[in-house]
Amino acid sequence: PAQNLYRNEVEQLPQPGGHSLQDANVPSPARSPAAGAADGGYRSRRTGGKLLAVLDFDKTLACEDVSFFDLDQDDVCAAVFGGEERFARLNAFLLGLASNGVLLAIVSFNSAGLIRRVLQAAQWVPHFGNRVFGLDEVHRYNSSKGACISHELVRPLRIAPEDVIFVDDSANNCRSVKQIGAMVVHVNRGGGMGEPDFAAVLEWLSARAQPGRRSPVAGALGALSRRLGGLVGRPRTIKELPV
């Protein structure tokens, strides 16, 4: 079945240990997988610069809207990300991008503090670093995610807008980010990102990126992208969104 493809491709990749906030107190590795960009990770074919994937949090990375009450669950990651199977898919997806030098960021209308606590529980802090922007940061730019990404990420990191991909469940947010010149993926089925959305990001990466020295994860991601290429229910790009 299509829903099992991602798990089959990445089942041998390393998975994080604990999922509770208590487990999150384990020190993070000194070196983030995203450091691979400096070692010859993926770069833009057109500009030679870094590539950036920006994710929404609620109903995109997380399966539903997340509140501080969700942090009281015994297994925070299972509660927030829709169970162990989906969490494993997300973990492998993010690990693959970060290990190949793709910068990761979150821009959300949720609390940045809450998001960081969830990232700690998932042991994803090294993937995102300080590139987590919540409600307060987005409101500085008149609630425009496009403006927030442009001022807080694109300009400081000196990344070309065309080397950015943005994933969100809101068509309005996708339109806002499309206006700065980024590629967008609209998550439109409910339940957060799924295999068609993973495939859309990987397809963009495959077309956009010029590989440097590839990590072992890259082979699994490439095979996954090819296998998911024919899935129905493809996420819509901004050109297909209703006006």
Side-chain angles (χ1 to χ4, degrees), residues 147-184:
C148 181
I149 291 171
S150 179
H151 286 84
E152 299 289 347
L153 290 165
V154 170
R155 295 182 184 179
L157 295 173
R158 297 182 179 179
I159 294 177
E162 64 195 72
D163 292 333
V164 177
I165 188 167
F166 173 72
V167 186
D168 199 301
D169 66 296
S170 164
N172 288 334
N173 290 336
C174 287
R175 291 190 183 95
S176 171
V177 176
K178 184 69 175 179
Q179 289 178 352
I180 71 171
M183 175 61 72
V184 302

Side-chain angles (χ1 to χ4, degrees), residues 38-63:
D39 297 335
Y42 283 125
R43 294 276 181 160
S44 169
R45 293 181 188 274
R46 178 177 174 82
T47 68
K50 296 178 181 178
L51 300 171
L52 172 66
V54 183
L55 309 176
D56 177 40
F57 189 69
D58 296 312
K59 297 183 179 179
T60 299
L61 194 58
C63 62

Side-chain angles (χ1 to χ4, degrees), residues 4 22 33-34 36 42 71 82 99 105 156 158 172 184 226 231 235 239:
N4 293 325
Q22 182 177 3
Y42 283 125
L71 302 181
S99 296
R158 297 182 179 179
N172 288 334
V184 302
R226 291 189 294 273
L231 282 180
K239 293 180 180 180

Side-chain angles (χ1 to χ4, degrees), residues 54 80 105 121 134 140 209 222:
V54 183
V80 169
R140 293 176 192 165

Side-chain angles (χ1 to χ4, degrees), residues 59-60 167-171 174 185-194 196-197 232-237 240-242:
K59 297 183 179 179
T60 299
V167 186
D168 199 301
D169 66 296
S170 164
C174 287
V185 175
H186 181 212
V187 179
N188 60 346
R189 291 165 308 283
M193 291 181 72
D197 308 302
V232 296
R234 177 179 56 84
R236 294 178 291 177
T237 65
E240 298 166 320
L241 296 176

Side-chain angles (χ1 to χ4, degrees), residues 193-215:
M193 291 181 72
E195 279 78 4
D197 308 302
F198 298 139
V201 174
L202 296 175
E203 181 180 358
W204 173 83
L205 178 62
S206 177
R208 191 82 203 158
Q210 179 174 347
R213 189 169 65 239
R214 291 159 62 95
S215 77

